[in-house]
Amino acid sequence: MTILATGGAGYIGSHACVSLLESGYDVVAVDDLSNSSAEALRRVEKITGRELKFYEADVCDRAALEKIFREQKIDGVIHFAGMKAVGESVQKPLEYYRNNLDATITILEVMRQFGCKAIVFSSSATVYGSENEYPYREDMPKGTCSNPYGWTKSMSEQILCDAAKADSELSVVLLRYFNPIGAHESGLIGEDPKGIPNNLMPYITQVAVGKRKELTVFGGDYDTPDGTCRRDYIHVMDLAEGHVKAIKYAMEHAGAEVFNLGTGVPYSVLEIIKAFEDASGIKIPYRIGARREGDLPEFWADASKAGNILGWHTRRSLADMCRDSWNWQKNNPKGYEE
Ligand code: NAD
Ligand code: WQD
């Protein structure tokens, strides 16, 4: 079985490629390297001792995608490719809608053309919006997103579900990720953000490695146990393993299905700092700053559906997440650049 991983060179895609290869799938990765490095895929091969095929291409480029489907026999697609910076999406909404929606539509069109019937999509907990109670369950209605990035996920979900409704053989699995952190246990691949990190864990690891002076905690006056926001952090390798279960499910069931991929347990920003300090032995200087616009006080997953239907359970602890994030950062202080 051959899986096409769009955005396969990225943070989550590269870790999923490891899990797929280790589970016996052949992998073809396509990525335009707009937010990643081909070195990640060389390291995936090193970790697994297996080869994968790589195409450097924009998945909105229909001719380039057709070429891949002509040259490879693709049995299923995992669609990771997309732009993901929340703040940037507010500044550049048209670029986000163009890239993320065009990518989803083009992939579906080319899959239809070549008779490929299974797709797993990287969605996000952000589609629950601000209206729902936590823990979020898949049967809740989607909510109002606070930024264009979130809307591209919500709209892509709709497009994928409509495509599945129109083609009774098509299978769509929507995976709503919570907050992925951590890295492969080898320390060879991990998250390599360009510029100043937007997300908490890469910011912490860059403070730990001496690249940034201190962390600003966005808000200390929320109505939460310690006043800082709480999120459902999930180890990226647990998340990666969820994709192996999801693509298998997609190949065996037609129709559209949605699964939360989270642990079901929230941690606050201060708890993350403490857990990181314990795992690394390094003190993280921080100060409490203003709230960040658009942040919700807290949310986490009800992850029971993925457990019951996919047989997927998270296995790694917060300590593992911190240890592996740190192991990656300290072994690769400049990320893939070297
Ligand atoms: P990432 O930026 O590391 O990976 C995305 C990859 O897609 C990058 O390698 C980028 O170069 C590539 N890409 C973007 N547009 C492309 C295009 N038009 N053609 C080809 N390649 C393209 O991000 P990630 O964290 O690995 O996220 C993967 C997916 O999961 C994204 O769709 C993201 O929105 C989604 N997601 C991420 C998180 C998170 O916190 N990291 C949470 C929820 C959902
Ligand atoms: C986590 C917590 C911040 C940085 C984002 C997207 C979401 C999904 C996952 C893609 C929050 C706090 C952060 C910092 C801080 N991505 N924080 N100082 O915002 O939960 O989710 O990534 O789909 O759509 O919105 O993740 O890592 O940015 O923040 O205090 O320098 O850390 O306020 O409480 P978030 P995050």
Side-chain angles (χ1 to χ4, degrees), residues 84 86 123-126 147 149-150 153 177-181 197-204 215-219 222 228-231 233 269 291-292 295-297 299:
K84 65 157 182 179
V86 169
S123 190
S124 169
T126 197
N147 57 78
Y149 164 75
K153 292 294 166 193
Y177 310 157
F178 282 67
N179 286 60
I181 59 171
N198 299 307
N199 299 112
L200 179 62
M201 186 52 87
Y203 204 103
I204 289 178
L215 172 76
T216 303
V217 175
F218 297 143
Y222 284 101
T228 66
C229 293
R230 294 200 300 168
R231 296 287 182 273
Y233 297 91
V269 179
R291 292 180 178 196
R292 182 172 66 179
D295 274 347
L296 294 175
F299 61 83

Side-chain angles (χ1 to χ4, degrees), residues 7 9-13 31-36 57-60 80-84 99 122-124 149 153 177-178 180:
Y11 171 46
I12 300 168
D31 201 300
D32 64 1
L33 304 181
S34 55
N35 196 38
S36 53
D58 179 345
V59 293
C60 304
F80 300 100
M83 291 156 70
K84 65 157 182 179
N99 188 64
S122 296
S123 190
S124 169
Y149 164 75
K153 292 294 166 193
Y177 310 157
F178 282 67

Side-chain angles (χ1 to χ4, degrees), residues 109 150 165 172 184-185 206 210 262 274 290 294 316:
E109 285 177 345
K165 222 179 265 171
V172 164
H184 188 263
E185 289 81 358
Q206 290 197 5
K274 170 82 171 58
R316 296 160 179 88

Side-chain angles (χ1 to χ4, degrees), residues 91-142:
Q91 307 304 318
K92 299 181 175 176
L94 301 184
E95 284 83 349
Y96 271 68
Y97 286 117
R98 166 64 68 194
N99 188 64
N100 290 3
L101 298 183
D102 200 346
T104 301
I105 295 169
T106 307
I107 285 153
L108 284 169
E109 285 177 345
V110 175
M111 285 175 65
R112 181 176 60 184
Q113 188 180 336
F114 286 84
C116 181
K117 295 294 181 190
I119 181 166
V120 172
F121 175 65
S122 296
S123 190
S124 169
T126 197
V127 303
Y128 288 105
S130 48
E131 296 87 348
N132 285 301
E133 297 283 314
Y134 358 98
Y136 292 153
R137 287 190 326 271
E138 294 87 343
D139 58 6
M140 290 171 165
K142 288 192 292 180

